[in-house]
Amino acid sequence: AIGTTREVAFSDALCPLPTVPNATGLCEACPIGSQPLSLGIPRGGRQMTDDEAAVQGWNPLCILCPPGWYSSDGTECKETEPGYYQHVEGQDRQLPCASGTANPLRGMTMCLACNPGQYATGAAELCSLCAKGTYTIDSGSAHCTACPGVRTTDSMGSTRIGQCLCPPRTYAPPESADAWACATCSAEAACEGLGASPEALPGFYLHEVGNHSLSIFQCNGDAKRCPGGGVGA
């Protein structure tokens, strides 16, 4: 009639939570991957139309969990946890981030690949820097590669093999057949390593560096003539 209105409201008094009334008037549980409408609609979710629900055989009073959410028992949609994601609606579980990816936030629909110099194992919240002595050149790495031989890096997060250097008390012999070889420093020389050239200690002089060894000599007479230093000093 003109001037009259009708208010339609859903009340959980009709059915105890977490159940909802169905078309026959009985109470039923919502399917996994959903929650009762009386709990609200999760961020990014929506209520199906009656036609959509009929086609899918779904109770329209049940809300599909949107991407980034899941429900293992149909009672409540939960946001995915850090280290996990869900990219499809109506799912019963969260998926762990694959190795080489990470996710620090809740409710995510994807995980992000680690940058070069970083790695991650499964279900990681954050990517980790490669430890000293290791590196990785690729994005999305599950592990870092060890430097060859005794070589190491001077910091964490290295991204290329060229950052692998001879450690302290060793040096890189320039004429070695092994491009990654490191030779032990003589007691009469200082080898800081990590790319630094060897230097003779005061009282000695460095004649040449080659063939895996230092040619180092002690000064005769006035030691002041040999203040130490690099080749020829």
Side-chain angles (χ1 to χ4, degrees):
I2 297 176
T4 63
T5 60
R6 183 176 65 175
E7 181 178 341
V8 178
F10 172 74
S11 172
D12 58 14
L14 298 174
C15 289
L17 284 173
T19 61
V20 294
N22 61 22
T24 66
L26 299 177
C27 296
E28 67 179 9
C30 287
I32 59 175
S34 70
Q35 73 175 27
L37 174 61
S38 58
L39 292 180
I41 300 177
R43 183 184 68 254
R46 65 181 180 86
Q47 184 179 10
M48 287 189 296
T49 66
D50 290 343
D51 290 340
E52 288 176 321
V55 170
Q56 298 186 33
W58 199 274
N59 190 322
L61 298 178
C62 294
I63 301 298
L64 281 173
C65 297
W69 300 69
Y70 71 101
S71 175
S72 59
D73 55 11
T75 62
E76 181 183 9
C77 294
K78 299 178 180 179
E79 284 187 291
T80 57
E81 300 171 354
Y84 293 81
Y85 74 103
Q86 180 51 260
H87 61 294
V88 180
E89 68 175 358
Q91 298 302 300
D92 65 343
R93 70 195 68 185
Q94 57 183 350
L95 304 174
C97 291
S99 295
T101 68
N103 164 39
L105 304 176
R106 301 178 65 88
M108 294 296 289
T109 60
M110 62 182 295
C111 299
L112 302 177
C114 298
N115 293 323
Q118 301 178 342
Y119 73 99
T121 55
E125 296 183 23
L126 297 171
C127 297
S128 300
L129 291 174
C130 290
K132 285 186 177 181
T134 67
Y135 69 96
T136 179
I137 63 175
D138 298 317
S139 299
S141 295
H143 59 84
C144 300
T145 302
C147 288
V150 299
R151 293 203 170 214
T152 187
T153 58
D154 61 358
S155 63
M156 300 174 65
S158 295
T159 59
R160 53 190 176 84
I161 192 172
Q163 292 174 280
C164 294
L165 306 171
C166 289
R169 297 301 306 162
T170 68
Y171 67 97
E175 298 179 14
S176 173
D178 181 357
W180 303 108
C182 295
T184 301
C185 191
S186 168
E188 296 81 15
C191 297
E192 296 183 4
L194 302 177
S197 299
E199 295 187 354
L201 297 177
F204 298 87
Y205 68 96
L206 192 62
H207 181 62
E208 62 180 4
V209 179
N211 298 325
H212 303 269
S213 63
L214 289 171
S215 294
I216 190 165
F217 302 92
Q218 187 173 11
C219 286
N220 292 322
D222 187 3
K224 293 181 180 180
R225 294 186 299 110
C226 301
V231 175

